[in-house]
Amino acid sequence: MTTALRRLRNYIDGEFRDAADGRTTEVVNPVTGEPYATAPLSGAPDVDAAMAAAEAAFPAWRDLIPAERQKVLLKIADRFEERAEELIAAESENCGKPIALVRSEEIPPMVDQIRFFAGAARMLEGRSAGEYMDGFTSIIRREPVGVCAQVAPWNYPMMMAVWKFAPALAAGNTVVIKPSDTTPASTVLIAEIIGGVLDELGHSRGVFNVICGDRETGRLMVEHKVPAMASITGSVRAGMQVAESASKDLKRVHLELGGKAPVVVFEDTDIAKAVEDIATAGYFNAGQDCTAATRVLVQESIHDEFVAALAKAASETKTGAIDDEDVLYGPLNNANQLAQVKGFIERLPAHAKIEAGGEQVGEKGYFFAPTVVSGLKQDDEIVQNEVFGPVITVQSFADEKQAVEWANGVEYALASSVWTKDHARAMRMSKALDFGCVWINTHIPLVAEMPHGGFKKSGYGKDLSAYGFDDYTRIKHVMTSLDG
């Protein structure tokens, strides 16, 4: 006897709807590898409907004074807290994340980030008015860009949805957001929460819309004539495709793509503390984080000691059931991602050595053991390309110059960290490292007030912070004659 699958639906103009043509895709629980829900496989009619709803809602939302938009966002944050257990359950089932960690590590920052952008709504900044030509006064208006087409990833579907909708709504834009086809459940629940708040406060529910679907759905959103901006968090390939599609009508593009964060450990560091923090930052969320501490560069004088300690830490790191509070991470998100991680291990060169892990765990689901690989060279595939799994690589460097060369010697440039007690060295490294973020003696903390975003193939634009808020606005110059 089979159990009926839960039915997820699009959220368009305040209504939950199936895809116009009735197509669906199965949503799989990565803990079991079995489907537990269906979601719409949306096509052009669904995208048209969502964009029309967002476009119709935009003028009234744009024209609200910032204090009114702030009220909405603050109420949304309150509802997130009130319905936290529902959000946690949806995210844990859909992603296989440990319940306790979603509760402690995702809900509080999400709520804080929504409240931050609620405040940012009232801090629209521009240069002061002034006379730059005799007889004329110039002023700057900062305005919303319009309808935003947003695509969120599967590694943090809830939190990345917040990073997208909160600044967009705060700035006065309306939103059509698409979650990954493997993780739509929590985003659909978010739509219910936001729709309820908009309705309660008397605003059009077309301000926020959710479309479920696959890459083709995302392509239709980006290429649609209505959105003024396309924002995606995803792979480099997906980002390039979005940039190319958006260029056809010169849409604004906001891209947060892959990463290959170097973790540069110098010989004067506290090895035990560094290993503890790096293992956590490398294995958290199964390493499915574009800032994960998975590419370690260790000064050769402490290499062997560090690798031994890291391998021990890996062997003591636990993956498993979502209700086990001793678990650091759950399964990989989907079968394709498990195959990708296994492929990297299977293709390791002969000079590489697996110090810990290296294999799938269990007979069901997509679990992979905490892994450490040493003996690697700078041009090895696993050093150059993003694994997006619980695999930490280790290289040995001779001096600061080589550390900088190897750290910067990848196509990604999102995040990095430096581990040393030497303040001057830390400052030199923070200047030399070509990454959007440099942590010193830590790795992975983020705060709402500071920007997150990279360079090179890690994309452009910023999430979080006032810089992220600014990305969802446009600048207009207004000049007035003073002679009446």
Side-chain angles (χ1 to χ4, degrees):
M1 181 176 178
T2 58
T3 303
L5 301 182
R6 188 183 314 162
R7 181 182 171 195
L8 303 173
R9 304 166 81 187
N10 293 330
Y11 186 80
I12 301 173
D13 203 17
E15 296 180 352
F16 285 101
R17 309 181 187 180
D18 295 322
D21 60 7
R23 292 190 302 157
T24 63
T25 184
E26 288 186 336
V27 183
V28 172
N29 183 330
V31 170
T32 64
E34 298 295 330
Y36 75 93
T38 63
L41 188 56
S42 300
D46 310 297
V47 174
D48 286 342
M51 294 300 174
E55 185 177 36
F58 174 64
W61 185 252
R62 173 199 62 201
D63 293 341
L64 282 177
I65 62 171
E68 292 301 313
R69 292 199 295 270
Q70 181 188 48
K71 287 180 184 177
V72 174
L73 285 162
L74 290 175
K75 183 72 74 174
I76 291 169
D78 291 344
R79 291 287 187 271
F80 269 52
E81 285 186 323
E82 293 164 9
R83 301 184 66 175
E85 293 305 313
E86 294 174 69
L87 290 165
I88 292 165
E91 191 80 341
S92 293
E93 183 174 32
N94 207 170
C95 302
K97 297 184 179 187
I99 291 171
L101 288 175
V102 178
R103 182 179 291 117
S104 65
E105 304 300 322
E106 296 200 30
I107 295 295
M110 285 164 47
V111 171
D112 179 66
Q113 289 152 7
I114 296 170
R115 288 176 176 152
F116 171 83
F117 284 113
R122 301 178 71 167
M123 290 295 290
L124 289 165
E125 294 184 350
R127 293 180 179 175
S128 62
E131 288 69 50
Y132 302 93
M133 181 181 291
D134 289 340
F136 298 88
T137 294
S138 289
I139 63 173
I140 295 294
R141 291 183 56 87
R142 188 177 288 275
E143 303 175 339
V145 297
V147 176
C148 297
Q150 302 181 318
V151 179
W154 48 252
N155 58 333
Y156 291 99
M158 259 195 328
M159 189 175 291
M160 294 302 98
V162 167
W163 286 19
K164 294 189 180 302
F165 80 70
L169 296 184
N173 303 287
T174 54
V175 165
V176 178
I177 188 168
K178 187 191 87 67
S180 168
D181 55 338
T182 68
T183 56
S186 55
T187 313
V188 171
L189 179 55
I190 286 172
E192 178 188 326
I193 292 170
I194 293 178
V197 169
L198 290 167
D199 194 45
E200 178 184 340
L201 297 181
H203 302 294
S204 169
R205 289 175 289 179
V207 166
F208 182 83
N209 306 271
V210 171
I211 288 285
C212 300
D214 57 9
R215 291 176 181 172
E216 174 64 13
T217 312
R219 184 189 67 79
L220 291 169
M221 289 173 58
V222 173
E223 293 185 357
H224 201 277
K225 64 182 181 181
V226 165
M229 178 176 179
S231 171
I232 177 175
T233 299
S235 68
V236 173
R237 180 183 65 177
M240 289 179 170
Q241 291 171 345
V242 166
E244 182 179 1
S245 296
S247 69
K248 295 175 183 177
D249 57 0
L250 296 180
K251 282 185 180 69
R252 183 180 295 197
V253 178
H254 183 280
L255 302 175
E256 200 278 278
L257 309 177
K260 194 67 180 174
V263 180
V264 185
V265 182
F266 287 94
E267 61 188 359
D268 64 338
T269 195
D270 181 333
I271 293 177
K273 181 67 165 61
V275 164
E276 179 184 358
D277 291 354
I278 290 167
T280 299
Y283 297 133
F284 187 82
N285 202 41
Q288 297 171 124
D289 189 316
C290 45
T291 63
T294 56
R295 181 168 66 104
V296 179
L297 306 173
V298 183
Q299 197 155 17
E300 58 190 15
S301 59
I302 62 167
H303 174 269
D304 293 350
E305 181 182 358
F306 183 93
V307 169
L310 185 60
K312 183 175 185 293
S315 68
E316 294 171 351
T317 299
K318 189 175 179 182
T319 180
I322 63 173
D323 57 354
D324 186 342
E325 295 194 1
D326 293 328
V327 164
L328 178 64
Y329 69 89
L332 295 165
N333 179 260
N334 54 75
N336 288 340
Q337 188 58 29
L338 174 62
Q340 175 170 307
V341 174
K342 291 169 72 174
F344 273 102
I345 299 301
E346 291 165 359
R347 294 189 302 273
L348 283 173
H351 55 260
K353 180 182 179 183
I354 298 175
E355 303 280 355
E359 70 280 328
Q360 185 175 351
V361 177
E363 297 181 357
K364 65 178 182 178
Y366 311 132
F367 295 91
F368 200 84
T371 299
V372 177
V373 182
S374 68
L376 293 163
K377 299 178 180 179
Q378 180 66 11
D379 59 355
D380 287 337
E381 177 197 26
I382 200 169
V383 168
Q384 290 294 317
N385 297 326
E386 188 172 34
V387 178
F388 225 57
V391 179
I392 297 177
T393 64
V394 184
Q395 297 166 260
S396 174
F397 69 85
D399 53 28
E400 189 175 317
K401 179 181 178 182
Q402 189 176 61
V404 170
E405 179 185 349
W406 286 358
N408 289 341
V410 294
E411 293 185 325
Y412 302 91
L414 183 59
S416 59
S417 64
V418 178
W419 300 74
T420 180
K421 296 176 182 177
D422 185 331
H423 176 73
R425 174 190 283 154
M427 292 298 96
R428 290 194 303 272
M429 291 294 293
S430 65
K431 178 182 178 181
L433 288 171
D434 189 19
F435 294 84
C437 175
V438 180
W439 287 291
I440 298 173
N441 295 325
T442 188
H443 194 106
I444 227 166
L446 295 169
V447 292
E449 294 85 352
M450 291 293 110
H452 174 78
F455 316 133
K456 298 188 330 191
K457 286 191 176 180
S458 289
Y460 44 80
K462 298 296 183 184
D463 289 312
L464 303 177
S465 80
Y467 300 98
F469 181 67
D470 287 349
D471 281 352
Y472 286 93
T473 67
R474 66 184 190 182
I475 302 298
K476 179 185 287 182
H477 169 222
V478 178
M479 180 177 273
T480 304
S481 171
L482 298 179
D483 65 7

